[in-house]
C-alpha cells in the first residue's frame, strides 16, 4: 500500500495540552486546549516546515477532529501561509478511545489498575474498559490511507501520540507487535514531524514536548 501512495506525508503530533500537563488520560476526548508550551511547540513545527517547504507549499491539510490537533494546525498553517479553513478533518485520525478511563488521572489509575502501562513502549497493556485497542486504530487509519492513496500532492497530517505511531507503523510496513496486535512506530515527543515517502520515514522535526504515555 505504502509503495503505491502518491506524494509525501508529513505526519505531526500536536503540542502539549492542559490534560498532558495535569497527567490526565486524554484519548479521544475532543476538546483539551493547548498550553503555552503547546503553542510554542506548534510555532516551532510551523517554522520548521516553512524552512523545509517554503511559503504556500502545495499541501493538503489534514487533521484529527480533536480541538488540540486543530489548534496546532491553525498555528502551523499560519507559518506556511495556508488557509486553515481548507483543512480536512477525519475521525479516523483521532487518538485511542479511552472509554471509562477518559479524563482520569494516571496516578489514580496506577493505584486502581496496576500494570496498565507498558513503560518500555509507552503504550497500554490492556484495552481501557469500554475503550479501544491498537488493532482497531490500525484498521481505521488504514481506511484513511486507502481513501487518500491516489490524492495528488503532499499531505500534512496533525494527529496524536499513539494513533500516529500506529499510522506510521502501517505506512512503513512494520511487523505487528503481538502484545499490541498492531504495527507500532517509535515514539516521538509532542510537536514532532516525520516525513514518509514510499514507505520510508525520516524525522523532519523533533519536538520538545513530552514523549510516550503517561504523556
Amino acid at each position: 500500500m505504502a509503495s503505491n501512495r502518491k506524494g509525501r506525508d508529513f505526519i505531526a503530533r500536536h503540542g502539549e495540552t492542559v490534560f498532558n500537563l495535569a497527567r490526565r488520560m486524554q484519548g479521544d476526548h475532543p476538546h483539551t486546549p493547548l498550553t503555552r508550551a503547546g503553542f510554542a511547540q506548534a510555532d516551532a513545527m510551523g517554522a520548521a516546515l516553512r524552512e523545509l517547504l517554503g511559503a504556500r507549499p502545495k499541501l493538503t491539510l489534514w487533521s484529527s477532529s480533536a480541538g488540540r490537533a486543530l489548534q496546532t494546525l491553525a498555528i502551523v498553517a499560519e507559518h506556511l501561509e495556508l488557509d486553515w479553513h481548507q483543512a480536512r478533518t477525519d475521525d479516523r485520525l483521532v487518538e485511542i478511545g479511552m472509554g471509562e478511563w477518559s479524563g482520569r488521572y494516571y496516578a489514580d489509575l496506577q493505584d486502581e489498575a496496576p500494570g496498565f502501562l507498558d513503560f518500555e513502549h509507552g503504550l497500554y497493556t490492556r484495552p481501557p474498559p469500554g475503550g479501544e485497542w491498537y488493532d482497531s486504530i490500525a484498521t481505521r487509519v488504514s481506511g484513511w490511507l486507502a481513501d487518500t492513496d491516489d490524492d495528488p500532492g503532499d499531505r500534512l497530517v496533525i494527529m496524536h501520540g499513539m494513533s500516529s505511531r500506529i499510522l506510521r507503523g502501517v505506512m512503513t510496513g512494520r511487523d505487528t507487535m503481538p502484545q499490541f496486535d498492531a504495527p507500532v512506530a517509535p515514539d516521538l515527543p509532542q510537536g514532532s514531524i516525520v516525513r514518509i515517502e514510499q514507505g520510508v520515514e525520516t524525522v523532519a522535526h523533533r519536538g520538545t514536548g513530552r514523549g510516550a504515555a503517561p504523556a
Side-chain angles (χ1 to χ4, degrees), residues 23-148:
R23 295 293 202 276
R24 292 179 67 181
M25 288 280 193
Q26 200 160 212
D28 56 346
H29 196 288
H31 300 302
T32 50
L34 300 183
T35 61
R36 285 182 293 176
F39 279 109
Q41 291 156 14
D43 263 326
M45 293 162 67
L49 283 173
R50 171 84 176 230
E51 183 175 352
L52 182 66
L53 302 173
R56 300 179 184 175
K58 292 183 178 179
L59 280 175
T60 302
L61 302 177
W62 283 94
S63 177
S64 155
S65 52
R68 58 195 186 271
L70 288 165
Q71 272 192 304
T72 302
L73 178 58
I75 296 166
V76 173
E78 182 179 351
H79 279 273
L80 297 176
E81 299 181 30
L82 296 177
D83 184 359
W84 177 88
H85 293 92
Q86 298 299 314
R88 305 178 186 182
T89 61
D90 199 304
D91 288 341
R92 291 174 293 184
L93 301 174
V94 300
E95 185 58 297
I96 185 172
M98 295 309 301
E100 295 177 16
W101 290 354
S102 182
R104 298 291 307 280
Y105 288 91
Y106 277 97
D108 291 341
L109 281 170
Q110 286 169 350
D111 292 336
E112 297 174 19
F116 80 96
L117 275 176
D118 180 331
F119 287 100
E120 178 184 356
H121 297 98
L123 299 170
Y124 304 122
T125 60
R126 68 194 82 161
E132 189 177 28
W133 194 233
Y134 298 108
D135 56 347
S136 296
I137 298 176
T139 297
R140 59 177 165 87
V141 298
S142 294
W144 177 80
L145 285 169
D147 288 347
T148 56

Side-chain angles (χ1 to χ4, degrees), residues 11 93 141 144-145 159 163-171:
I11 300 171
L93 301 174
V141 298
W144 177 80
L145 285 169
M159 48 190 304
S163 59
S164 68
R165 291 176 67 186
I166 305 301
L167 174 62
R168 291 163 48 215
V170 171
M171 294 183 71

